[in-house]
């Protein structure tokens, strides 16, 4: 079942969390089809907000559903991170040169990276040493116009294929859903949180259920170096991310808690 790879052409793994039928992943594959051998492995249905979840205790399926020119499409019943791990274990004789996740239907700026299946897959690429990029468009529309993504997708992929990324670093790229973004800005993640609210409803059988709603609370809306500011002002945001969650700046303060030390 191994995918034959041409040594002279880059091998690019593409996944997402919106599922194999989502427009975004197909648009992404088409945008980069001339850059290498493309293998798309995506969930069989939406797996949004799965973060870095793995499927434990259930059998995973992996099926080739389409192949044309140099693009192969596989679907699996797993999560985005399952897609990455299963691909590495079952499909490839060598490590991909690039891992792309997306294009997500909806933003993954700010603290959303913690919950995002799109970025969970990109961070998994970091862990196993593949240069990885997550792409998101700030539109949840199923038939969204992904043309504003084309230039940044192609340019960032070509640059990363040429130069790579620092160890354990991936890119979280969010594109505003406007016809012509003003440009791209290297940013940091905006500080904020989601105000989760659960709407109490009654189903047709008279039983209670709860529907998750909420909105993002930006704690620094005026700070021009954040991804939220960039997107709100028509710029593409590029945030370097890492799977190392150590709070290095807090180490001196934690060291002062001497009762924790031997």
């Amino acid at each position: 079942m191994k995918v034959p790879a041409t040594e002279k052409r880059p091998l690019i793994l593409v996944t997402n969390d919106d599922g194999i039928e989502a427009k975004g992943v197909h648009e992404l594959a088409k945008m980069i089809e001339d850059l290498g051998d493309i293998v798309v492995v995506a969930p069989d249905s939406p797996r949004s907000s799965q973060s870095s979840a793995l499927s434990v205790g259930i059998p995973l399926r992996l099926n080739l559903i389409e192949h044309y020119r140099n693009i192969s499409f596989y679907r699996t019943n797993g999560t985005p991170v399952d897609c990455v791990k299963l691909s590495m274990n079952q499909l490839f004789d060598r490590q991909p040169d690039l891992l792309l996740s997306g294009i997500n239907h909806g933003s993954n700026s700010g603290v959303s990276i913690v919950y995002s299946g799109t970025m969970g897959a990109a961070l998994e690429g970091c862990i196993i040493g593949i240069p990885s990029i997550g792409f998101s468009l700030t539109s949840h529309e199923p038939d969204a116009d992904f043309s504003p993504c084309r230039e940044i997708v192609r340019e960032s992929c070509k640059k990363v294929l040429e130069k790579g990324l620092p160890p354990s670093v991936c890119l979280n790229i969010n594109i505003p859903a406007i016809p012509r973004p003003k440009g791209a800005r290297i940013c940091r993640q905006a500080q904020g949180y989601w105000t989760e609210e659960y709407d109490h409803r009654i189903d047709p059988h008279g039983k209670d259920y709860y529907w998750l709603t909420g909105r993002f609370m930006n704690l620094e809306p005026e700070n021009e170096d954040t991804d939220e500011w960039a997107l709100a002002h028509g710029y593409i945001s590029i945030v370097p991310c890492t799977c190392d969650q150590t709070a290095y700046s807090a180490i001196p303060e934690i060291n002062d808690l001497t009762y924790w030390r031997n």
Side-chain angles (χ1 to χ4, degrees):
M1 198 175 181
K2 297 288 185 180
V3 173
T6 305
E7 290 295 335
K8 293 182 180 179
R9 288 170 57 82
L11 177 60
I12 303 174
L13 171 61
V14 177
T15 189
N16 75 344
D17 71 355
D18 289 317
I20 192 67
E21 301 296 334
K23 182 179 179 180
V25 74
H26 289 268
E27 291 294 309
L28 177 56
K30 285 189 282 187
M31 288 175 191
I32 59 160
E33 65 177 311
D34 63 318
L35 300 184
D37 295 318
I38 316 301
V39 180
V40 179
V41 182
D44 56 8
S45 60
R47 299 289 196 282
S48 295
S49 300
Q50 291 288 290
S51 188
S52 293
L54 290 169
S55 298
V56 178
I58 64 169
L60 291 177
R61 315 289 181 184
L62 181 64
N63 300 109
L64 176 67
I65 59 172
E66 186 179 7
H67 177 83
Y68 65 88
R69 295 191 293 275
N70 60 314
I71 308 178
S72 300
F73 289 89
Y74 291 80
R75 70 174 169 228
T76 180
N77 58 322
T79 68
V81 170
D82 286 330
C83 291
V84 177
K85 287 183 171 291
L86 199 55
S87 302
M88 295 299 298
N89 186 266
Q90 293 296 315
L91 293 183
F92 301 136
D93 287 320
R94 65 180 176 92
Q95 185 157 291
D97 300 284
L98 184 62
L99 185 155
L100 305 179
S101 188
I103 301 170
N104 191 64
H105 292 246
S107 173
N108 275 312
S109 58
V111 75
S112 295
I113 187 177
V114 174
Y115 310 103
S116 167
T118 301
M119 289 308 298
L123 287 165
E124 182 64 25
C126 277
I127 292 170
I128 58 181
I130 305 172
S132 302
I133 310 173
F135 293 104
S136 302
L137 178 71
T138 62
S139 170
H140 290 278
E141 293 298 321
D143 194 35
D145 177 11
F146 286 90
S147 59
C149 305
R150 180 176 174 80
E151 183 176 358
I152 188 64
V153 164
R154 288 187 56 80
E155 290 304 310
S156 58
C157 289
K158 287 191 285 187
K159 287 290 186 184
V160 172
L161 282 170
E162 177 187 356
K163 299 179 179 296
L165 287 170
S168 298
V169 170
C170 65
L171 300 181
N172 181 15
I173 299 182
N174 285 270
I175 302 105
I178 57 177
R180 295 182 62 84
K182 296 178 181 178
R185 294 172 66 107
I186 308 300
C187 307
R188 63 176 176 85
Q189 176 184 313
Q191 295 184 26
Y193 60 93
W194 282 91
T195 58
E196 281 84 10
E197 298 176 2
Y198 290 84
D199 187 20
H200 178 211
R201 303 178 183 181
I202 306 295
D203 69 17
H205 302 285
K207 295 184 178 181
D208 297 321
Y209 73 97
Y210 303 89
W211 194 264
L212 177 63
T213 63
R215 62 191 179 91
F216 180 71
M217 298 292 293
N218 187 354
L219 297 179
E220 44 180 352
E222 303 306 318
N223 282 353
E224 297 182 10
D225 62 342
T226 70
D227 52 3
E228 285 285 326
W229 187 95
L231 292 168
H233 290 81
Y235 292 94
I236 296 166
S237 67
I238 304 175
V239 178
C241 302
T242 179
C243 47
D244 181 355
Q245 297 190 38
T246 305
Y248 291 100
S249 62
I251 288 176
E253 182 177 349
I254 300 303
N255 272 332
D256 288 340
L257 302 176
T258 55
Y259 62 90
W260 281 12
R261 302 171 70 181
N262 292 329

